Amino acid sequence: MHTLPDVSTVAIAVADGILHFELALAHEFFGSAPPVPVESWYELVICGAGPVRADGRFLLEPDCGLDRLALAETVIVPGWADLEGDPPADLVHAVRAAHEAGARVVSLCTGAFVLAAAGLLDGRRATTHWSYAEALATRFPRVEVDPDVLYVDNGSVLTSAGKAAAMDLCLHLIRLDHGSTIANAVARRLVVPPHRPGGQAQFVATPVPERHDHPLGELLAWAAGRLDRPLTVEDLARRANMSSRHLGRHFRAMTGTTPLQWLLTQRIHRAQELLETTDDSVDAIAEATGMGTATTLRRHFNRTVGVPPDAYRRTFHRQRADGASTSASFPTPTATPPKAAPRPISFGP
């Protein structure tokens, strides 16, 4: 059995005007344990000031009041329907108070408008559904709105684009908390892609081709098998038998990113896997992933994942064959809410 962090509380903040899709999505990701053995999972609670209606039609009875948000380790704000009016003041205040108390606050889709109203996005890069990005930027000019990405991770504040991108962010959170093995198991259960990096474009003009004879199909597999080598754009273009500029256009159309960024993402993923599953030194992993030196690996890894490789290993390293665990637990929160009795979600007319 994998050694995992202590169970953390995930609180979904609700009020009249929330969107039911993002609410149900968060409930599914964090309320259902993965189909593999785990030592602990999230305690999920739904917090609201009283019975609320999602999309104006589904009646929801919260587990507890909005004040419980301040005791949660992660607060999820689902999509918000009324983008012209102000979100309820008690919801905004509770979300702000939760962040001030140390909670990780996450918005799904247009939930970013609630975070922006709480001032949590001021001076920060954030995203939302591409069709509402301009409205978010206009209404909250202190927010650096990026309409082109799936999600943005600022550490204690995270925002996602719409619908499917909200799934990507939920998987990203599970990967941060429990490692890639558990996140991949959850993805398999839900039949969704195991990982799409946050920097991937929200909209890709051409669907990702499945045919092996696509110009980049063989190239991606070829490059993925040579991550230990210092590949350049020219190397990839030569392999694909096209110019570097032509390759760049094909690459962005197919993957939503540039060749070098795609390579870096694959190298980081490989480094995460090696840190989780081997006892190789950081120097050896840097060489195996084409980073060259431990210094280079640490710089890119810290910037991409948010923690140094050594800290990542201490948290996510799998049990060794002799049964001893090298994993470290997450810090115990200073305030742990009492466990609420389970209450069914009531969806009614």
Side-chain angles (χ1 to χ4, degrees), residues 3 17 46-47 59 73 92 106 156 196 238 271 275 291-292 294 337 340:
T3 300
I46 299 179
C47 304
L59 183 64
E73 293 180 67
V92 172
V106 181
S156 64
R196 293 196 298 169
R238 191 178 306 112
L275 288 166
M291 296 287 190

Side-chain angles (χ1 to χ4, degrees), residues 265-310:
T265 300
Q266 304 313 305
R267 296 186 197 282
I268 295 297
H269 289 169
R270 179 59 177 155
Q272 287 177 293
E273 179 183 352
L274 293 174
L275 288 166
E276 291 184 18
T277 60
T278 76
D279 292 317
D280 294 349
S281 67
V282 175
D283 289 283
I285 293 175
E287 183 176 352
T289 57
M291 296 287 190
T293 67
T295 300
T296 300
L297 171 60
R298 287 190 174 96
R299 182 174 69 252
H300 287 295
F301 196 94
N302 198 12
R303 185 176 61 188
T304 303
V305 181
V307 295
D310 307 275

Side-chain angles (χ1 to χ4, degrees), residues 21-319:
F21 180 88
E22 287 78 7
L23 166 64
L25 183 154
H27 193 279
E28 178 63 29
F29 271 92
F30 301 106
S32 301
V36 293
V38 294
E39 284 192 4
S40 61
W41 193 241
Y42 303 99
E43 177 191 354
L44 182 71
V45 293
I46 299 179
C47 304
V52 302
R53 289 190 178 275
D55 286 345
R57 64 183 74 179
F58 300 111
L59 183 64
L60 173 66
E61 181 70 31
D63 297 311
C64 50
L66 288 171
D67 57 342
R68 177 76 177 275
L69 295 181
L71 299 177
E73 293 180 67
T74 300
V75 172
I76 307 287
V77 182
W80 189 253
D82 184 7
L83 303 184
E84 295 182 358
D86 294 327
D90 55 353
L91 173 64
V92 172
H93 173 76
V95 169
R96 184 188 302 118
H99 184 259
E100 291 174 350
R104 175 176 62 181
V105 180
V106 181
S107 68
L108 306 180
C109 193
T110 51
F113 283 76
V114 177
L115 270 60
L120 302 188
L121 302 183
D122 288 354
R124 284 189 166 103
R125 180 167 161 263
T127 193
T128 188
H129 191 287
W130 61 268
S131 62
Y132 302 114
E134 184 177 353
L136 180 64
T138 300
R139 186 169 178 183
F140 301 98
R142 297 184 64 185
V143 180
E144 182 187 341
V145 180
D146 188 340
D148 298 324
V149 297
L150 296 179
Y151 58 85
V152 176
D153 182 348
N154 285 308
S156 64
V157 178
L158 301 91
T159 55
S160 84
K163 308 304 180 186
M167 299 186 197
D168 293 310
L169 181 51
C170 289
L171 279 174
H172 174 67
L173 293 171
I174 293 173
R175 183 174 293 104
L176 290 176
D177 294 343
H178 295 289
S180 59
T181 300
I182 301 301
N184 291 344
V186 172
R188 285 194 298 271
R189 175 170 62 84
L190 297 177
V191 198
V192 296
H195 181 71
R196 293 196 298 169
Q200 183 170 321
Q202 288 192 35
F203 177 74
V204 180
T206 305
V208 176
E210 297 182 358
R211 293 181 56 184
H212 296 295
D213 59 354
H214 184 273
L216 297 187
E218 184 272 341
L219 176 65
L220 297 185
W222 178 84
R226 291 164 175 77
L227 296 178
D228 58 331
R229 307 179 188 182
L231 297 175
T232 65
V233 174
E234 289 71 25
D235 294 330
L236 297 177
R238 191 178 306 112
R239 178 71 185 185
N241 196 27
M242 59 180 67
S243 69
S244 298
R245 179 174 296 183
H246 193 47
L247 173 69
R249 287 197 296 268
H250 271 287
F251 227 93
R252 184 166 291 280
M254 181 177 179
T255 69
T257 189
T258 66
L260 288 181
Q261 184 58 50
W262 181 87
L263 273 174
L264 177 59
T265 300
Q266 304 313 305
R267 296 186 197 282
I268 295 297
H269 289 169
R270 179 59 177 155
Q272 287 177 293
E273 179 183 352
L274 293 174
L275 288 166
E276 291 184 18
T277 60
T278 76
D279 292 317
D280 294 349
S281 67
V282 175
D283 289 283
I285 293 175
E287 183 176 352
T289 57
M291 296 287 190
T293 67
T295 300
T296 300
L297 171 60
R298 287 190 174 96
R299 182 174 69 252
H300 287 295
F301 196 94
N302 198 12
R303 185 176 61 188
T304 303
V305 181
V307 295
D310 307 275
Y312 184 90
R313 166 170 274 166
R314 285 194 298 271
T315 303
F316 298 125
H317 197 296
R318 300 294 169 248
Q319 287 184 325

